[in-house]
Amino acid sequence: MSGRTAPPRVLTVAGSDSGGGAGIQADLKTMLALGVHGMSVLTAVTAQNSLGVQGAWELPVEAVRAQYRSVVDDIGVQAVKTGMLSSAELVEAVADLIAGTDAPAVVDPVGVSKHGDPLLAVSALETVRTRLLPVATVATPNLDEVAQLTDIRVESEQDMRRAARAVLDFGPRWVVIKGGHLAASTGEAVDLLTDGTQEHWLRAPRHDNRHTHGTGCTLASAVASHLALGRPVPEAVTAAKEYVTGAIAAGFALGAGIGPVDHGWRIGREPE
């Protein structure tokens, strides 16, 4: 007897977070929560906990390429999401792989960790600009990553527009400028989604919760999941924002530092 039809498949190309809050682990949890089948290409191993990143070891390019081909050539994908790609060589290889894959790609241009630890070599920035962003369906930089990529320091919503135009000049079809680090003058977490023609301001309550580890990975994976489910970009990003907002609200303490968002917040937890 044959099994049921497989759900849409999403491939994450990212690093491992041994603490389970970000990276590959966050991506796969998000995909499970949103009803798609998550698959992974590991690009790096990190020693990481609630206090920061204690070490990182990049995988060889041939190992990354072999994982990608193994999954895509046999199983196929409906969306690809990229995260930590620490070197120019890895960025270039992954960009080439995505360019040859007939599926939308969500690029999270990971530059630094939640704790400020560098996760992308400075020498790789130009390759991100010239090779990876041009193959992105949606790019999802936060304000620190915007500054790395464009030298624009975002301090207002008007700056977010300027930043979006600058990122779009690198070639992605859409960009989400994540304003979560913007000064909380309105009590809202504001993101800007645009393709240079359409403009969508996504606003959500700003939750007073310091346990936000993994928000960037989670948003990008949620966008990819909704794209794999067949939703157009504005609808996919809006739904992803709603999911992440709930995950932030439910974030919990873990270890002695910054805890993770709760990827399973919709499932509910048994009362203590």
Side-chain angles (χ1 to χ4, degrees), residues 81-174:
K81 175 261 177 185
T82 72
M84 178 184 175
L85 304 172
S86 51
S87 69
E89 292 77 16
L90 268 181
V91 172
E92 186 171 352
V94 171
D96 286 344
L97 289 165
I98 289 173
T101 304
D102 185 19
V106 179
V107 169
D108 185 17
V110 175
V112 294
S113 76
K114 181 69 68 179
H115 304 85
D117 303 293
L119 298 175
L120 177 71
V122 173
S123 58
L125 274 172
E126 188 60 21
T127 314
V128 171
R129 296 184 189 107
T130 60
R131 299 296 301 275
L132 188 60
L133 288 175
V135 301
T137 307
V138 186
T140 63
N142 64 28
L143 300 189
D144 290 333
E145 291 153 359
V146 163
Q148 277 188 315
L149 292 167
T150 70
D151 291 326
I152 294 174
R153 300 284 173 182
V154 175
E155 297 177 352
S156 67
E157 291 187 11
Q158 191 57 42
D159 288 343
M160 292 174 74
R161 280 197 175 102
R162 288 198 305 122
R165 286 194 296 270
V167 175
L168 285 171
D169 283 344
F170 295 127
R173 286 173 48 199
W174 292 82

Side-chain angles (χ1 to χ4, degrees), residues 165-226:
R165 286 194 296 270
V167 175
L168 285 171
D169 283 344
F170 295 127
R173 286 173 48 199
W174 292 82
V175 62
V176 182
I177 303 296
K178 298 181 294 192
H181 296 163
L182 205 60
S185 57
T186 64
E188 290 182 316
V190 182
D191 300 335
L192 171 60
L193 167 68
T194 181
D195 64 351
T197 303
Q198 302 179 51
E199 192 175 84
H200 304 267
W201 290 93
L202 307 176
R203 302 177 186 274
R206 186 183 291 272
H207 295 288
D208 184 20
N209 185 357
R210 66 188 291 263
H211 301 300
T212 56
H213 185 52
T215 49
C217 307
T218 301
L219 179 74
S221 294
V223 173
S225 297
H226 286 294

